[in-house]
Amino acid sequence: MRVMRILTTLLALTLLAGSAWAQRKSSNPRDALPEGFREIPIPRYLIYTDLGDDDLRAVAVRLDRLATEYDRRTREFSQARSDKKMPIFLFSKQEDYYAAGGMKGSAGVFEGNRLMACLGGKADGRAWGTIQHEAFHQYAELKLEHLPVWVNEGLAEYFSHGIFTGDGFVSGVIPQWRLERVRAHIAASELLPLEDMLKYTYEHWNQRLDVTNYDQAWAYIQFLAHGSGVAGQRALEQYIRDVGRGQDSVRAFRASLGDPAEVQRRFTQWVADLPDNPTLGLYGEAAVATVTSFVARAAAQKQVIRSLDELTSLVDQRALLCADEDWIPVQILRELLPLAGQLGTWSMTPGSRKEPPAVVLRMRDGTVVRGMFTFNRGRVSKVWVESQQPARGSSSRRSR
């Protein structure tokens, strides 16, 4: 499906941008700071950058939501708590990024103390995929001590595919191109035996920086977090907690998740049973969440939007209203709107005393995704998405 190819291309990243966690540590995050850089503190990060004000504002909002997503998805096994701001160096010029130690051909790297990324004057999907991957390593060092390397890299890849919606992230998507690559690895018998992967140290990983390892780590995290039900997710969390307490990786895995050979067999069957574009519904939820975030801000300013075409026109005319305190980067909406109609049929209702305002997407497979919001005194107070699948009538709810 063309829309899936385009959406996932926006999220693609350069996998071998750096070794697991970085080869060196800088004692001072200001080392090699180019002239013209400024220090900008935000709640969770300390940003050093030469980006202009508009680009910096967009980056700051996204980084804040990204750290919140890390918190939300790792709270069950977080082992350390720290309010220390995380340093991040954002370069507008590739030559400055390389001069400061960035790896040739990469868009970002975590060096054990500082995170560096090159946005090249434009925070595109590829750059953000890399930042979301490397930023997780930085977050993990601060809050998730003693992660097994396959979990560290698998989760970093998992978050690299997260879709920013303005008010949050949608995580857990399976890009079709990556599913096809995992299928090819399995068909060619290229994957490590799972028990061998459990034994990998960071030194082992860095000695074999292979795309297959990244794909395998990501795919197992995806399987255990979403393909094995709630029990599988809880077992994965227990395994991570136990390793964090110092238990042997293989022993902890057997105690929480079972025999590695059996888990590998179930994983292989799960991959074989997945349909193409298996998380199309999540892409729909991300699209609805993004549109709803902007419609909500307009509604808070008494600007009523009745259709996707009307929203597109307001964006083109730069007439979409938003309170300065609730600002989010309209660029994410500009990137989405040309593709939104391919996901299904959209409708918008202004709301009434009995029903809240809503953005509704009826997807081609019959899934209905509904985005809703509330606001108070000109500020957006809540944005959430509900999804209902036609086959089982099941529904899910995601708050932003």
Side-chain angles (χ1 to χ4, degrees):
M1 180 180 289
R2 179 174 176 270
V3 65
M4 289 297 298
R5 295 280 184 186
I6 298 173
L7 282 168
T8 55
T9 296
L10 291 173
L11 300 171
L13 72 156
T14 303
L15 280 174
L16 304 183
S19 61
W21 290 63
Q23 296 108 334
R24 68 182 189 276
K25 294 189 176 184
S26 168
S27 60
N28 186 346
R30 295 176 178 81
D31 286 352
L33 187 65
E35 291 185 9
F37 268 48
R38 48 188 171 147
E39 178 181 295
I40 309 294
I42 62 174
R44 305 291 292 277
Y45 287 90
L46 192 56
I47 301 175
Y48 300 94
T49 189
D50 62 344
L51 293 175
D53 289 343
D54 290 343
D55 288 335
L56 177 60
R57 190 183 193 189
V59 166
V61 168
R62 188 160 179 160
L63 286 174
D64 176 71
R65 307 295 195 270
L66 183 61
T68 299
E69 180 71 357
Y70 293 153
D71 286 342
R72 185 177 75 87
R73 298 310 298 267
T74 66
R75 65 167 61 100
E76 296 301 326
F77 53 85
S78 179
Q79 300 133 6
R81 295 293 176 186
S82 173
D83 294 328
K84 181 181 178 181
K85 291 183 187 292
M86 295 174 281
I88 179 170
F89 290 71
L90 300 174
F91 296 81
S92 66
K93 299 175 183 177
Q94 197 173 60
E95 56 269 27
D96 289 340
Y97 169 69
Y98 291 153
M103 296 182 66
K104 294 287 185 180
S106 73
V109 65
F110 174 53
E111 295 187 309
N113 183 41
R114 62 179 184 175
L115 172 65
M116 298 197 308
C118 181
L119 300 178
K122 180 183 178 183
D124 60 14
R126 176 181 174 276
W128 272 111
T130 300
I131 292 170
Q132 288 165 207
H133 174 111
E134 298 296 338
F136 177 76
H137 290 322
Q138 183 181 44
Y139 177 90
E141 178 157 308
L142 190 66
K143 292 202 171 189
L144 308 174
E145 297 174 345
H146 311 302
L147 278 183
V149 63
W150 77 270
V151 172
N152 196 341
E153 292 296 342
L155 284 172
E157 290 295 273
Y158 177 90
F159 287 115
S160 79
H161 295 307
I163 305 172
F164 179 47
T165 67
D167 280 303
F169 277 80
V170 172
S171 300
V173 298
I174 300 177
Q176 180 63 21
W177 61 265
R178 194 143 209 194
L179 174 59
E180 291 173 358
R181 204 160 68 188
V182 171
R183 286 171 173 167
H185 292 320
I186 292 173
S189 300
E190 293 173 342
L191 298 186
L192 286 170
L194 177 55
E195 186 162 341
D196 290 351
M197 189 174 72
L198 297 177
K199 297 175 182 177
Y200 255 37
T201 65
Y202 286 91
E203 289 73 22
H204 289 140
W205 190 279
N206 288 339
Q207 288 169 8
R208 189 190 175 207
L209 287 174
D210 190 293
V211 68
T212 306
N213 287 347
Y214 288 88
D215 286 343
Q216 181 171 357
W218 165 78
Y220 270 106
I221 289 294
Q222 188 75 37
F223 167 62
L224 294 171
H226 299 289
S228 299
V230 174
Q233 182 178 342
R234 296 292 179 262
L236 174 63
E237 292 166 355
Q238 185 62 51
Y239 162 72
I240 295 173
R241 284 195 295 268
D242 288 344
V243 174
R245 297 184 184 112
Q247 290 191 26
D248 173 76
S249 178
V250 176
R251 185 176 297 115
F253 192 94
R254 287 183 181 275
S256 299
L257 290 149
D259 178 55
E262 174 59 20
V263 173
Q264 183 167 354
R265 185 198 65 77
R266 290 192 289 110
F267 162 78
T268 302
Q269 188 61 51
W270 172 75
V271 173
D273 292 342
L274 283 175
D276 286 344
N277 301 313
T279 55
L280 185 59
L282 285 181
Y283 284 101
E285 288 186 16
V288 171
T290 303
V291 170
T292 305
S293 290
F294 287 92
V295 170
R297 283 158 173 75
Q301 299 300 304
K302 311 300 183 184
Q303 185 180 45
V304 178
I305 301 172
R306 297 176 177 81
S307 70
L308 194 67
D309 287 343
E310 187 174 340
L311 176 62
T312 301
S313 179
L314 288 169
V315 171
D316 291 343
Q317 297 170 21
R318 301 180 183 273
L320 188 62
L321 299 183
C322 176
D324 189 63
E325 298 85 355
D326 280 334
W327 184 91
I328 52 177
V330 74
Q331 182 59 32
I332 62 172
L333 186 60
R334 289 197 182 99
E335 292 173 354
L336 170 67
L337 286 172
L339 314 173
Q342 299 177 46
L343 290 170
T345 303
W346 294 77
S347 61
M348 300 181 188
T349 57
S352 64
R353 291 184 178 180
K354 295 183 178 180
E355 295 290 337
V359 174
V360 180
L361 169 63
R362 298 181 184 275
M363 301 185 69
R364 302 190 187 284
D365 67 352
T367 299
V368 177
V369 186
R370 184 181 300 270
M372 289 166 283
F373 56 89
T374 57
F375 49 83
N376 183 30
R377 297 182 180 180
R379 297 288 305 276
V380 176
S381 57
K382 188 176 183 181
V383 173
W384 73 97
V385 171
E386 295 179 354
S387 180
Q388 185 169 19
Q389 299 175 350
R392 298 182 299 275
S394 61
S395 63
S396 63
R397 174 179 174 135
R398 292 173 177 262
S399 294
R400 302 293 166 207

